[in-house]
Amino acid sequence: MAAPEIRSELRFILNGQDVSLRAVAPDQTLLDWLRLSKLLKGSKEGCAEGDCGACTVLVGRLTPSGGLVYEGVNACIRFLGSLDGCHVVTVEHVAARDGKLHPVQQAMVDYHGSQCGFCTPGFVMSLYALWMQVPNPSDQQIETALQGNLCRCTGYEPILRAARAISSYGGTEKDPLLLERDAMIARLKALKDGARVEIGDGKSRFVVPANLDDFAAVLEASPTATVVAGSTDVGLWVTKHMRDISPVVFIAGLDELKSISVEGDTVTIGAGVTYTEGLKTLANHVPALGPLIERIGGQQVRNMGTIGGNIANGSPIGDTPPALIALDAKLTLRKGTERRTIRLEDYFIAYGKQDRQPGEFVEAVHVPAPAVGEKFAVYKVTKRRDEDITASLGAFRLALSADGTVTGITIAYGGMAATPKRAFAVEQALLGQKWTEATVEAAMEKYAEDYAPLTDMRATAEYRALVAKNLLLRFYTETISGAASAQVSRYEAA
Amino acid sequence: MNKHTPDLKAEKIQGGVHASVRHDSAHKHVAGTAVYIDDITEPAGTLHAGLGLSTVAHGLLKTVDLSAVRAAPGVVDVLTYEDIPGVNDISPSGMHDDPVLAEGKVQFHGQPIFCVIAETREEARRAARLAKIEYEELPANIDIWDLDQTTHPQVFPPLTLKRGDAAAALESAPRRVKGRMRLGGQDHFYLEGQVSLAVPGEDDEVLVHCSTQGPSETQHMIAHALGVPSNAVAVEVRRMGGGFGGKETQANQCAALAAIAAKKLNRAVKVRLDRDEDMVATGKRHDFAIDYDVGFDDEGRILGIDYTFALRAGFSADLSGPVGDRALFHCDNAYFFPHVHAKSALLHTHTVSNTAFRGFGGPQGMVGAERVIDEVAFAVGKDPLDIRKLNFYDAMGVEGTRNLTPYHQKVEDCIIQRIVAELEESADYAGRRKAIQEFNGNSRFIKRGLALTPVKFGISFTKTESNQAGALVHVYTDGSVHMNHGGTEMGQGLHLKVAQVVAEEFQIDLDRVKITATTTAKVPNTSPTAASSGADLNGMAAQDAARQIKDRLTDFAAEKYQIPRDQVVFLPNRVRIGNAEISFNDLVKQAYMARVQLSAAGFYKTPKIHWDRSKGRGHAFYYYAYGAACSEVSVDTLTGEYIVERTDILHDTGRSLNKIIDIGQIEGGFIQGMGWLTTEELWWDGKGRLRTHAPSTYKIPLASDRPKIFNVNLTDWSEAYEPTVHRSKAVGEPPLPLGLAVLHALSDAVASVADHTICPRLDAPATPERVLMAIERLKAQKKG
């Protein structure tokens, strides 16, 4: 395969304007660029780590099928280099050109959705993104869309009132972004020239590969490069730790890594599939994964972060690995043109150490559905219900024989050890036993053999140990026939 | 918006007092055009700062090697304490214990040691990490739980409140319970962090744009640190992105650093902390250890009480003294204690110096009171609400004997009985109590809990001199009005309320009144916008200014048209002079032609109040604001996770100046109080490092933490007992402790696992972990 053309210019669209940049640092954040270079100061910095949403902007991008989707993202941890071929929309571009407020904005004004106003542009952008996709959202949809937006003044109630009312101020059919959609698709398509983008040199360099093969080649040639997909983790290396991440390879735009396919009982998702993109298929395939994914980060983070990244970075508190381990998912790793597929469980070797060679990258994850009759559940326990990092997370897959004997059990936890880890002793205590509360209670005592959790700011070791046990009891309770859910829920069961 | 033709036939002006007018900046907020300090167009050549923070909790600075910092790209200068031309101190308490930059020693992890000034903020931040600092580490006190309150050093003299003979009452009481409660602090988490932009002027002058709740104090601190008179320094703020008390004194450090650098380098300098620095290096709500010893009768009537409120002051006094005072002022909440002894302990620790936070110690005092109510209720086996009602102060108008506070002020305006009765009914407390009992009987793991808690909050600064305010009002020849006052806008709608007062006074539409940035150059010697007093004080001062001008206009009209003064009547947008009506604008124009002064400085000081700290006696508060909240929760007894099913609030803002603004304060205050008592946990590690220093680890409530059903109402019948501005009441702080209803609902759910026979003693913040551990403790006690 011939090497692609190389372009040393980043091209995207900001609001209505074409942007082309030749000098861009690999760690240049979108927010700093907007505020400091473009003097667009409507987007605010509240935390610089993707948790407060004050910097929320929309990024429109072409989908592999040729459509255009606008999503809210955190400009504070989004790197400029990842925006090639995208349409960035800031709060300054929301009102009509004559200054008339957009329905989203007018509703926020009329329902007193702002007090100090600092978080407000971010709320406007998140609600705008929601309204474009769901003009008449339920409270649950609104709250889910706002998980990544903190407000310290209003207590949110007036913002909810505003969100419910937006459509009474005007329909999406008159929305400028939607009216201009076809023209924008054409403009964005014109930016897609199939070239590899390479900017900078020496200590400050980044590459946006032209395609998947190109990525493999680039990474093989620069095995120490920082691979950035959603930047929801690497973004913080820069904003919080001021780490030098050059050279960087931005892979968020690689369509081939965004594939989602179902074959038999297995879903294969490309490593570049975001939580948002993967949600529907995964939730269809394994219903318990839906609510789990909706509790990862806020909407902005789910729009950027990838399931592949959640695995690749090897964190002991990543939310998807325990669930995927319990499902016995597999991982395809690729280096150059070589591929290998391993069990996900085997990928995690020790804290900070994974089974990944220099120049190798995660290409795809294969997620089998539980077999017919198997029961599967995953429970995440956090200090705050939404947009929080796991204190303890347990995933359970159970097979019973006709007489109620445990014929298969896989249990994996996050937050309990230096890696996502199986509870082998507990599994052993259950396997071959009758699935009764007495067995479960006996097995609960075995957790001490599997885990010696730590105390940190999220939870004490004692709490983690106790919750780990109790989650098994919850799982048991929910598997016995006719049992009501044994957990608190904000929403009526669907 | 800008074009305005006054309606000269209107029956009522647009936007006068008691009108529900939306926030003046709402349009700018949603459009992204509202300007915060970091959004101000920077003067050419503006420099940026980065802070070098201590990496130990307590130690001597052996060597501070900044050579690599100075040599880093873009660095223009590095400030240490030696660069401070005036005094290296910004202590608001006069204790001289708050250095701008550490000198010789560091007293908490995160204390600023030096300040890098560079061409860009990123260069300054990068350079700040290159310092080589050697410490001689010293032992550090981080937590207060195990400190000896009698011998441990205190940052400020503590307060004792005493009425009657608590010791004797406790001895003779039929029942007695002692206990101890741990109550966590709270980060303000204003969305806009600390930020200042200093622009040097000629001679000794400097203009500082600062996100501060106390521009005058910021001005004085800058002058002090620069060694110049206050008249050389102007501090200006149009709006803050949230304050909540966190910008009362904590804004001064960035402001002083920006001003010092700007004067030294003769360039504009901006100091903007990032979120982590802000959370590590600036003070928070005090956490407390509350000891209580309460005596009561078999009915649950409290007879005597002894309290110690020990707080974590941090390394310096800051406002810890008055915060501790206000905790004691609210240790009664809405309850009469026949005999009381209460003292504060303002414990020195090697942690960041804690400071003002909405409620200013008051909520902590009330948490103590409500814990005591729970103890009594469980001891006598009654619903806590019954114990609450049994112990209320006498209602307004009742000539009883149960009306004296621990600080000997007579409670004259108590309306808590009526509020609680109305809320009990509208929230169907009794019906839901029963339903919850049934639910819990049928639910193995999920338990529900219910609580209705009252609030009585004292309004006034206890520092008497702070209860004054100034305003400056100009009427221009076209009849438009320029309004300025000493209060600051942090989202609470203060400017709007004061503008409504001015509009009402002149009887002109609200949009004729221009809201302007707060600046020390227009109104001097102002109090911080704090203690919920913003509208009370500044509204009155602005009213005074407007009245002076109105008086002059009246005199002028009476004289010119040769009619008695009382025949000059200000009607909406016009003035009736005898039998004729002319527009307000025309009258103003005529007055100008006749050389009538159309500008006035207004002033107000709160009457009646006095306070003698040494005796613990006085009329500390001008009046009280009241409210009550009823919350229901569901708790998962396997994990401690919970959700708030429903909250009903009934709150008193007197004759509200602006109901919609007040409801916003109540909704927001409740959620903030709920956050404090539930998921917002400050966690220091063994080395004194705050590990919850960003929203990834410090969890304020989200939209999905709101009560599923959230009903907020104002008492439509109350009005201030005292002649406050249009008989309204303050609303900033009083709603925050409404969040106690959630803590107590959680406690109620926890109690259900031991059939409500054991007081759960649920500490705060009641994270899922604390809830689960309390459940486990109760289960074990029940078995044992």
Side-chain angles (χ1 to χ4, degrees):
Chain A
M1 190 174 156
E5 296 280 313
I6 292 178
R7 163 156 59 87
S8 54
E9 185 180 70
L10 187 72
R11 305 190 307 193
F12 61 96
I13 297 168
L14 169 64
N15 296 330
Q17 176 199 0
D18 291 308
V19 177
S20 59
L21 300 168
R22 290 181 161 269
V24 181
D27 58 0
Q28 169 74 65
T29 65
L30 172 57
L31 182 63
D32 275 356
W33 182 76
L34 288 172
R35 288 185 58 86
L36 302 178
S37 298
K38 302 308 288 181
L39 302 178
L40 290 173
K41 298 192 175 172
S43 310
K44 311 298 182 192
E45 181 185 306
C47 70
E49 62 178 23
D51 266 282
C52 82
C55 64
T56 304
V57 300
L58 302 189
V59 170
R61 57 184 174 82
L62 297 175
T63 60
S65 57
L68 170 60
V69 60
Y70 287 95
E71 292 174 319
V73 306
N74 294 120
C76 68
I77 51 169
R78 182 76 187 240
F79 296 115
L80 209 58
S82 71
L83 291 166
D84 196 64
C86 293
H87 180 204
V88 176
V89 181
T90 69
V91 70
E92 287 85 356
H93 198 60
V94 175
R97 307 303 166 253
D98 65 0
K100 187 173 184 300
L101 293 180
H102 188 277
V104 174
Q105 295 171 311
Q106 194 61 50
M108 282 287 280
V109 168
D110 290 350
Y111 286 84
H112 314 280
S114 70
Q115 285 183 23
C116 87
F118 199 82
C119 70
T120 311
F123 273 90
V124 165
M125 299 313 281
S126 285
L127 291 174
Y128 188 14
L130 172 67
W131 174 81
M132 270 198 270
Q133 286 170 23
V134 190
N136 291 292
S138 67
D139 278 15
Q140 180 173 358
Q141 287 171 314
I142 297 167
E143 288 169 14
T144 304
L146 295 181
Q147 284 168 342
N149 290 84
L150 298 176
C151 169
R152 193 55 153 164
C153 296
T154 64
Y156 303 99
E157 198 63 40
I159 297 173
L160 266 285
R161 288 184 201 115
R164 292 179 198 119
I166 296 167
S167 281
S168 68
Y169 287 84
T172 49
E173 70 282 353
K174 287 187 185 159
D175 180 71
L177 282 186
L178 298 181
L179 285 175
E180 294 160 11
R181 178 183 289 264
D182 290 344
M184 186 54 68
I185 288 173
R187 282 173 77 179
L188 293 175
K189 276 188 176 158
L191 294 180
K192 287 222 159 189
D193 57 1
R196 174 200 291 177
V197 180
E198 272 197 56
I199 291 187
D201 50 30
K203 292 176 91 175
S204 176
R205 188 168 81 88
F206 73 84
V207 179
V208 185
N211 51 47
L212 183 58
D213 288 339
D214 190 36
F215 168 40
V218 167
L219 193 61
E220 203 175 21
S222 309
T224 59
T226 309
V227 178
V228 177
S231 72
T232 56
D233 193 19
V234 178
L236 278 69
W237 300 1
V238 169
T239 61
K240 298 282 158 169
H241 309 300
M242 311 210 77
R243 261 166 74 176
D244 189 0
I245 58 169
S246 177
V248 172
V249 186
F250 290 112
I251 60 166
L254 296 181
D255 285 348
E256 295 138 291
L257 283 180
K258 289 195 169 290
S259 69
I260 303 174
S261 61
V262 185
E263 235 177 279
D265 70 342
T266 298
V267 175
T268 294
I269 48 175
V273 172
T274 64
Y275 298 110
T276 301
E277 291 167 324
L279 173 65
K280 202 172 156 195
T281 310
L282 284 170
N284 255 337
H285 191 66
V286 187
L289 293 179
L292 173 69
I293 290 173
E294 290 199 319
R295 283 180 62 195
I296 295 173
Q299 187 65 53
Q300 299 92 323
V301 161
R302 293 192 292 273
N303 290 340
M304 304 199 313
T306 61
I307 296 162
N310 198 227
I311 293 166
N313 79 0
S315 166
I317 44 176
D319 282 341
T320 57
L324 299 181
I325 287 172
L327 291 165
D328 199 20
K330 303 206 169 37
L331 212 53
T332 295
L333 294 138
R334 176 172 171 183
K335 183 180 180 181
T337 53
E338 300 292 315
R339 289 184 173 86
R340 64 189 175 112
T341 296
I342 60 171
R343 293 175 70 209
L344 175 60
E345 191 183 338
D346 298 332
Y347 176 73
F348 302 99
I349 298 169
Y351 183 76
K353 187 163 188 251
Q354 297 89 40
D355 180 10
R356 184 161 57 89
Q357 308 302 315
E360 196 175 37
F361 64 93
V362 174
E363 188 178 52
V365 192
H366 314 278
V367 186
V372 176
E374 280 188 339
K375 297 179 191 299
F376 175 78
V378 52
Y379 308 121
K380 172 176 172 173
V381 178
T382 49
K383 209 178 277 183
R384 183 180 68 197
R385 186 159 186 83
D386 291 321
E387 205 210 24
D388 198 357
I389 295 167
T390 284
S392 179
L393 180 149
F396 307 83
R397 184 161 59 98
L398 169 76
L400 297 175
S401 68
D403 70 348
T405 303
V406 177
T407 55
I409 177 91
T410 317
I411 302 176
Y413 274 76
M416 296 294 289
T419 60
K421 189 169 175 284
R422 291 268 296 272
F424 289 114
V426 179
E427 291 175 5
Q428 281 310 309
L430 292 166
L431 202 59
Q433 304 293 314
K434 281 275 163 51
W435 184 239
T436 65
E437 189 161 335
T439 330
V440 164
E441 280 190 350
M444 281 163 72
E445 297 313 310
K446 296 288 182 184
Y447 275 100
E449 294 174 26
D450 286 314
Y451 303 120
L454 294 178
T455 290
D456 67 10
M457 67 294 221
R458 295 196 177 90
T460 63
E462 297 75 37
Y463 178 70
R464 287 191 162 107
L466 180 58
V467 162
K469 288 203 247 184
N470 284 351
L471 290 182
L472 179 62
L473 182 56
R474 177 194 281 178
F475 179 61
Y476 167 77
T477 307
E478 292 189 344
T479 58
I480 53 179
S481 61
S485 166
Q487 38 187 321
V488 290
S489 168
R490 190 171 169 80
Y491 312 107
E492 300 304 319
Chain B
M1 269 180 85
N2 300 320
K3 241 179 150 182
H4 180 88
T5 317
D7 178 357
L8 298 179
K9 301 239 163 75
E11 285 182 18
K12 231 178 142 187
I13 58 164
Q14 289 169 20
V17 295
H18 312 309
S20 285
V21 191
R22 66 195 182 203
H23 197 285
D24 53 277
S25 294
H27 187 287
K28 290 185 282 250
H29 293 156
V30 300
T33 53
V35 175
Y36 301 83
I37 304 295
D38 195 36
D39 305 334
I40 293 171
T41 303
E42 293 170 4
T46 295
L47 298 170
H48 300 268
L51 295 184
L53 305 180
S54 168
T55 55
V56 304
H58 186 204
L60 302 177
L61 287 168
K62 281 172 66 186
T63 56
V64 179
D65 176 1
L66 301 174
S67 51
V69 183
R70 290 184 193 280
V75 171
V76 175
D77 201 355
V78 184
L79 306 179
T80 68
Y81 73 91
E82 289 172 314
D83 295 293
I84 296 168
V87 184
N88 182 20
D89 178 50
I90 45 169
S91 163
S93 60
M95 302 294 280
H96 202 87
D97 57 358
D98 261 319
V100 180
L101 292 171
E103 190 172 337
K105 61 180 176 182
V106 289
Q107 299 178 87
F108 71 96
H109 194 287
Q111 182 173 1
I113 298 170
F114 64 91
C115 178
V116 191
I117 308 296
E119 297 289 345
T120 71
R121 184 166 176 271
E122 193 186 331
E123 286 168 337
R125 291 182 70 213
R126 283 187 184 278
R129 297 181 179 229
L130 303 175
K132 295 190 187 74
I133 297 177
E134 278 183 66
Y135 306 88
E136 181 184 331
E137 277 196 68
L138 299 170
N141 294 306
I142 305 301
D143 197 5
I144 57 169
W145 193 247
D146 296 320
L147 295 180
D148 182 340
Q149 295 169 0
T150 55
T151 58
H152 191 79
Q154 303 203 23
V155 295
F156 197 80
L159 173 68
T160 300
L161 295 183
K162 219 175 128 177
R163 221 197 53 251
D165 186 344
L170 285 165
E171 279 306 317
S172 61
R175 311 282 298 266
R176 187 170 174 177
V177 176
K178 275 190 194 187
R180 188 157 213 237
M181 178 170 188
R182 186 189 269 272
L183 172 59
Q186 185 177 27
D187 189 87
H188 302 87
F189 213 88
Y190 27 63
L191 265 289
E192 176 208 39
Q194 304 285 352
V195 54
S196 282
L197 170 65
V199 184
E202 57 187 40
D203 300 327
D204 55 2
E205 292 170 13
V206 63
L207 166 64
V208 182
H209 301 275
C210 174
S211 184
T212 173
Q213 290 174 242
S216 283
E217 178 149 312
T218 302
Q219 173 201 20
H220 300 153
M221 291 296 171
I222 293 169
H224 193 58
L226 280 176
V228 302
S230 290
N231 66 10
V233 180
V235 173
E236 181 166 320
V237 54
R238 170 61 183 86
R239 63 172 63 78
M240 282 166 271
F244 315 113
K247 294 171 181 170
E248 185 172 340
T249 62
Q250 303 299 296
N252 297 338
Q253 191 159 30
C254 289
L257 286 170
I260 291 163
K263 289 309 286 182
K264 183 175 181 202
L265 302 169
N266 201 28
R267 288 169 73 172
V269 174
K270 187 188 284 183
V271 182
R272 174 168 75 82
L273 302 188
D274 84 346
R275 180 58 60 181
D276 300 60
E277 289 166 345
D278 189 294
M279 291 187 72
V280 164
T282 71
K284 305 160 199 324
R285 183 189 295 285
H286 294 74
D287 45 341
F288 276 66
I290 305 169
D291 288 282
Y292 52 89
D293 183 353
V294 57
F296 48 98
D297 64 19
D298 293 332
E299 294 293 300
R301 198 174 277 107
I302 292 169
L303 302 173
I305 195 159
D306 187 272
Y307 274 126
T308 304
F309 283 88
L311 58 76
R312 168 152 51 184
F315 79 97
S316 73
D318 188 72
L319 301 172
S320 294
V323 165
D325 292 359
R326 194 171 269 268
L328 296 194
F329 285 128
H330 290 80
C331 73
D332 57 346
N333 193 6
Y335 312 114
F336 173 68
F337 299 150
H339 299 275
V340 54
H341 178 268
K343 63 178 197 289
S344 60
L346 317 166
L347 302 175
H348 178 282
T349 50
H350 297 103
T351 51
V352 68
S353 192
N354 282 325
T355 192
F357 192 139
R358 198 176 192 175
F360 203 75
Q364 290 97 316
M366 293 155 72
V367 166
E370 295 303 330
R371 163 61 77 84
V372 164
I373 292 289
D374 255 19
E375 291 276 19
V376 174
F378 281 93
V380 301
K382 287 188 176 178
D383 186 319
L385 181 57
D386 294 331
I387 303 303
R388 293 189 168 104
K389 292 196 276 193
L390 195 61
N391 285 286
F392 282 149
Y393 282 106
D394 283 336
M396 182 163 69
V398 172
E399 278 306 318
T401 54
R402 297 170 57 86
N403 56 20
L404 264 193
T405 63
Y407 42 97
H408 300 264
Q409 174 167 350
K410 191 175 170 191
V411 179
E412 298 166 294
D413 61 359
C414 183
I415 53 171
I416 195 64
Q417 287 84 353
R418 182 167 173 191
I419 288 177
V420 166
E422 289 187 9
L423 183 65
E424 206 181 337
E425 170 142 10
S426 67
D428 187 24
Y429 183 87
R432 284 160 68 204
R433 170 62 71 202
K434 219 171 137 227
I436 287 168
Q437 222 159 23
E438 268 171 43
F439 176 92
N440 287 348
N442 295 321
S443 171
R444 182 173 168 198
F445 295 124
I446 311 300
K447 301 290 181 187
R448 291 204 169 188
L450 180 71
L452 193 159
T453 57
V455 166
K456 162 180 145 286
F457 198 88
I459 302 299
S460 291
F461 287 96
T462 50
K463 193 171 155 194
T464 305
E465 68 268 31
S466 293
N467 297 288
Q468 60 175 312
L472 181 65
V473 172
H474 305 319
V475 179
Y476 293 101
T477 54
D478 63 352
S480 67
V481 174
H482 171 112
M483 176 204 74
N484 197 270
H485 60 88
T488 55
E489 177 67 35
M490 57 196 110
Q492 82 280 42
L494 172 62
H495 285 341
L496 172 62
K497 281 185 171 179
V498 177
Q500 285 178 271
V501 170
V502 171
E504 184 75 28
E505 211 51 47
F506 286 125
Q507 283 296 302
I508 55 176
D509 290 340
L510 181 63
D511 58 6
R512 297 295 283 164
V513 181
K514 182 82 175 171
I515 287 168
T516 56
T518 312
T519 166
T520 56
K522 280 185 187 166
V523 178
N525 309 326
T526 58
S527 300
T529 305
S532 308
S533 67
D536 282 21
L537 297 178
N538 297 291
M540 284 299 228
Q543 189 181 50
D544 177 46
R547 279 187 179 164
Q548 292 175 43
I549 299 169
K550 200 170 137 184
D551 275 351
R552 290 183 209 135
L553 290 170
T554 305
D555 288 343
F556 160 72
E559 193 186 323
K560 176 167 178 179
Y561 294 96
Q562 291 296 303
I563 51 156
R565 267 186 116 256
D566 62 5
Q567 287 188 25
V568 181
V569 182
F570 284 72
L571 299 172
N573 299 318
R574 61 200 188 273
V575 183
R576 191 169 68 220
I577 304 167
N579 293 324
E581 280 188 9
I582 66 169
S583 73
F584 177 79
N585 297 353
D586 286 345
L587 177 64
V588 164
K589 186 78 182 221
Q590 290 177 19
Y592 166 76
M593 298 304 287
R595 296 184 295 173
V596 173
Q597 188 191 3
L598 294 172
S599 172
F603 185 76
Y604 176 72
K605 58 181 177 181
T606 313
K608 264 189 155 175
I609 49 172
H610 55 89
W611 165 242
D612 183 339
R613 192 172 189 266
S614 63
K615 294 198 175 76
R617 276 174 181 263
H619 197 92
F621 301 113
Y622 189 35
Y623 63 89
Y624 299 95
Y626 298 87
C630 179
S631 285
E632 179 176 348
V633 299
S634 294
V635 172
D636 179 342
T637 59
L638 289 176
T639 59
E641 296 164 287
Y642 46 79
I643 53 170
V644 182
E645 298 283 346
R646 172 174 166 181
T647 292
D648 295 76
I649 289 172
L650 184 60
H651 195 84
D652 153 43
T653 59
R655 286 200 68 209
S656 172
L657 285 175
N658 185 327
K659 285 185 184 176
I660 200 70
I661 292 287
D662 284 356
I663 285 176
Q665 287 296 296
I666 295 163
E667 289 169 335
F670 168 81
I671 296 292
Q672 201 171 64
M674 177 189 85
W676 167 47
L677 296 168
T678 55
T679 57
E680 294 184 36
E681 186 173 33
L682 293 165
W683 198 86
W684 281 265
D685 67 13
K687 291 184 167 171
R689 290 184 295 184
L690 178 67
R691 304 305 300 270
T692 47
H693 51 70
S696 51
T697 46
Y698 184 76
K699 311 312 284 187
I700 73 167
L702 281 173
S704 53
D705 295 309
R706 286 160 32 255
K708 276 166 69 177
I709 302 169
F710 193 19
N711 301 314
V712 176
N713 285 293
L714 298 177
T715 52
D716 53 10
W717 40 265
S718 66
E719 62 169 40
Y721 178 75
E722 299 289 353
T724 57
V725 60
H726 295 280
R727 295 274 175 184
S728 65
K729 287 192 183 186
V731 69
E733 294 163 295
L736 184 128
L738 294 170
L740 269 156
V742 175
L743 178 66
H744 283 267
L746 289 169
S747 170
D748 186 52
V750 171
S752 71
V753 305
D755 308 319
H756 294 273
T757 56
I758 305 167
C759 180
R761 295 191 167 182
L762 179 61
D763 286 347
T767 55
E769 169 161 353
R770 278 209 181 76
V771 170
L772 183 63
M773 293 317 191
I775 288 167
E776 292 293 308
R777 184 160 37 77
L778 258 64
K779 280 182 178 167
Q781 277 177 264
K782 187 186 162 196
K783 268 193 208 157

